[in-house]
Amino acid sequence: PMATNGKLLNYYNDYPENLFNLQWMEADLDTPTRIYIPNTAVLKDEAGIQLNPPADFSIIPINNTKAGYLEIKPTGGERQLTLPVME
């Protein structure tokens, strides 16, 4: 994670399952959480982005690279995110 709204509880790569997992407790309803994504192509199928509770998010590309950011709007409370890590 690049910037977490609130307290970071846990994050890890689940290499056998090819997933990245993140848990955090949000502190407010104004600040998004931002995750650096080395290759945003892994997010092209948005069905692979598992966010609990569900919320709006955006993918922000970094110019002239394959990288970008996943920016997640806050909903309050404990949050969990699971993403694919490779195509």
Side-chain angles (χ1 to χ4, degrees), residues 38-57:
N39 185 348
T40 58
V42 300
L43 303 179
K44 67 184 173 197
D45 178 10
E46 290 187 2
I49 301 171
Q50 300 172 27
L51 186 55
N52 188 20
D56 291 334
F57 60 84

Side-chain angles (χ1 to χ4, degrees), residues 11-64:
Y11 72 98
Y12 62 95
N13 283 313
D14 182 345
Y15 291 106
E17 297 296 323
N18 198 34
L19 298 171
F20 170 77
N21 295 282
L22 171 67
Q23 282 183 286
W24 71 103
M25 180 67 70
E26 289 182 336
D28 63 61
L29 295 175
D30 299 316
T31 309
T33 291
R34 184 177 272 199
I35 312 299
Y36 173 76
I37 308 293
N39 185 348
T40 58
V42 300
L43 303 179
K44 67 184 173 197
D45 178 10
E46 290 187 2
I49 301 171
Q50 300 172 27
L51 186 55
N52 188 20
D56 291 334
F57 60 84
S58 56
I59 300 167
I60 303 165
I62 298 173
N63 291 338
N64 302 317

Side-chain angles (χ1 to χ4, degrees), residues 7 20 54 66:
K7 181 178 180 182
F20 170 77
K66 294 180 180 182

